[in-house]
Amino acid sequence: MAVRQSRTRSRRPARGVAAVVAAAALLAASPQVAAGEPVPPAPAPPAPAPAVPDRKPGAAPAFGAYLDYGPRGVARMAQLSHWLGGAELRVGHTYLPGDLWSNIEGAPGFLDVWADWRTREADRMFVLNVPMMERNEEGVDDDEVRKLLRQGAAGRFDHHFRALAERLVELNVPDTVLVLGWEMNGTTYTHRCGPDPEAWKTYWNRIVTTMRSVPGQKFRFDFTPSRGRDAIPWTQCYPGDATVDIIGMDSYDQPRGMAFDEQVKEPYGLQAHVDFAKAHGKPISYPEWGLFRNGDNAEYMRRMLAWMDEHKPVYNTLTDYCPHGVWQCDDNPRSTAVYRSVLFGRTDEPDPTVPEPTVPTAPTAPPVPAVPPTAPEPSANCSPLELGDWVEYWLGGKLCMRLDWYSRNK
């Protein structure tokens, strides 16, 4: 299959975008390991982070949208919720800049506003995309990527990820979901897997082991390829169940002309993703999804929302800028109407329990009063005569004769 074209990244953090953050980072950045410096040994792998419950029983899957990488992204979540009729956006999603190691470490000032949003409600979820290399979007060639992956696998970059883990714990967001090295099966990023899959997997495992060694952490690591084969089958990059908590997929409406059913059935597509995660005992996610090559495709929007409702990912976040989005993009009015109608007013509360209809019991018949006898009761001092049933039937009862007539007439 042909390699898929990458998306425009103009609203993601990149070199020069966050000048204030970069300036602050220069003061706090730790020195890099020199090329000839001895590589520290890998830390002993601790026990995996305990599972954190994601949904109340019966609740709708958590969702959100990528609205901006900085403070505006936090502010816009409330506006998007209002537009959706008060729908509960439980997921906040942003990306660490991949230009400098100091920014990948979580430079002071960048993550604070996200941490503040996360800690205001106990059931919120903070999703953070973490580059595995600096110069992540600078078109580094395969030979250099291969060299960098092998250096990472040997431990040269461990200290950067330890610094990030310590920063997140310090900000009181130790349960952050980390989308590490996303879309590694493509060609866009320096942290891609294709030039050396074995070194990439070793490097991933080393990063996770390093970050899990930081006291207080409860991180979950989300392995997220792009849908389809792309440059390399994403299954060849899977680093193993011990260091993966969630298996995600970035799934945009591409390539041009591909119907949703094909996106489900294609090799390494939506169904393969669900099946792979099930086989490995992992939940799924959709950190990035949205419109793309097929324009304002209301059918894609309807089917993708239904797919997620059916398969219950841990979370999903729509990429909400043009050409992918629906709220901050005016180019997709039909898809916007579908998205809003499906999610309008949705909350994280379980569906109301419908009481079972009460089956009425058969009414008990009131007690039937005794039927008064048709024949009068014989009065006192009156002795009934035995005349036989047939005569009594025609007389309407027994014939009574007073036996005291003699005494009364004396």
Side-chain angles (χ1 to χ4, degrees):
M1 176 181 287
V3 176
R4 304 183 186 209
Q5 301 177 43
S6 62
R7 293 176 302 288
T8 301
R9 304 288 179 179
S10 59
R11 298 197 186 182
R12 294 252 187 99
R15 184 175 62 185
V17 175
V20 175
V21 172
L26 290 175
L27 300 175
S30 58
Q32 295 186 15
V33 177
E37 187 174 331
V39 173
V52 178
D54 299 301
R55 298 192 304 271
K56 302 170 187 175
F63 75 98
Y66 172 70
L67 302 168
D68 187 86
Y69 68 92
R72 286 181 297 181
V74 175
R76 288 170 182 170
M77 279 192 283
Q79 299 170 41
L80 177 58
S81 175
H82 178 75
W83 181 73
L84 289 172
E88 185 178 13
L89 274 65
R90 282 185 52 213
V91 186
H93 186 189
T94 193
Y95 298 73
L96 286 172
D99 52 349
L100 302 170
W101 278 119
S102 57
N103 284 332
I104 295 173
E105 291 177 1
F110 181 77
L111 293 172
D112 300 60
V113 65
W114 291 99
D116 179 69
W117 173 85
R118 163 65 187 89
T119 55
R120 287 178 182 270
E121 297 288 345
D123 65 346
R124 284 177 174 173
M125 187 183 307
F126 178 39
V127 176
L128 180 64
N129 277 48
V130 178
M132 294 169 68
M133 294 289 181
E134 67 175 355
R135 298 185 296 140
N136 200 38
E137 297 185 39
E138 295 187 11
V140 177
D141 65 40
D142 282 356
D143 287 341
E144 187 170 359
V145 168
R146 188 177 298 109
K147 178 181 177 181
L148 290 168
L149 290 175
R150 292 174 180 175
Q151 290 175 350
R156 181 176 179 185
F157 309 125
D158 287 359
H159 61 290
H160 299 301
F161 296 98
R162 185 177 297 106
L164 173 60
E166 291 170 349
R167 178 72 176 142
L168 292 168
V169 171
E170 176 190 352
L171 289 171
N172 201 29
V173 284
D175 58 351
T176 299
V177 175
L178 301 170
V179 187
L180 178 65
W182 71 97
E183 298 182 14
M184 76 299 294
N185 56 325
T187 60
T188 302
Y189 300 112
T190 304
H191 67 213
R192 62 188 181 270
C193 169
D196 194 334
E198 293 306 313
W200 191 94
K201 289 185 284 188
T202 302
Y203 183 31
W204 164 289
N205 289 332
R206 186 151 194 138
I207 293 171
V208 172
T209 301
T210 297
M211 296 189 73
R212 283 182 177 169
S213 71
V214 171
Q217 67 81 33
K218 301 177 183 176
F219 303 126
R220 285 179 290 174
F221 291 87
D222 192 332
F223 171 82
T224 299
S226 57
R227 197 199 76 241
R229 186 187 188 281
D230 216 323
I232 182 175
W234 51 263
T235 53
Q236 294 184 20
C237 306
Y238 186 67
D241 293 342
T243 57
V244 173
D245 300 295
I246 303 168
I247 298 178
M249 178 164 280
D250 288 352
S251 185
Y252 291 88
D253 186 22
Q254 65 168 340
R256 191 178 306 278
M258 178 176 277
F260 189 81
D261 284 336
E262 294 179 74
Q263 297 178 25
V264 171
K265 298 175 183 177
E266 69 172 324
Y268 310 102
L270 289 171
Q271 188 62 56
H273 167 229
V274 170
D275 293 343
F276 185 87
K278 183 177 180 180
H280 289 264
K282 304 294 181 181
I284 62 171
S285 70
Y286 297 97
E288 293 185 29
W289 68 279
L291 305 162
F292 198 18
R293 302 293 179 191
N294 295 303
D296 185 12
N297 188 350
E299 176 67 8
Y300 164 84
M301 182 61 63
R302 185 179 299 106
R303 296 285 300 278
M304 190 65 187
L305 287 167
W307 178 267
M308 291 186 290
D309 277 348
E310 177 185 358
H311 294 284
K312 301 292 188 293
V314 174
Y315 69 92
N316 79 79
T317 44
L318 174 76
T319 301
D320 192 57
Y321 58 80
C322 288
H324 313 303
V326 293
W327 180 56
Q328 298 185 115
C329 182
D330 295 331
D331 296 347
N332 305 309
R334 293 182 301 140
S335 300
T336 296
V338 170
Y339 183 86
R340 193 180 190 207
S341 66
V342 171
L343 295 178
F344 194 87
R346 181 174 289 193
T347 68
D348 192 42
E349 295 301 319
D351 295 332
T353 302
V354 179
E356 292 292 328
T358 303
V359 179
T361 57
T364 304
V368 180
V371 179
T374 54
E377 289 291 325
S379 60
N381 301 319
C382 182
S383 299
L385 301 176
E386 296 295 336
L387 301 176
D389 293 340
W390 187 83
V391 175
E392 290 173 356
Y393 174 81
W394 286 105
L395 292 175
K398 290 184 178 295
L399 183 63
C400 182
M401 178 178 288
R402 293 182 67 92
L403 300 179
D404 61 343
W405 58 273
Y406 176 79
S407 60
R408 287 189 297 110
N409 294 315
K410 284 182 73 176

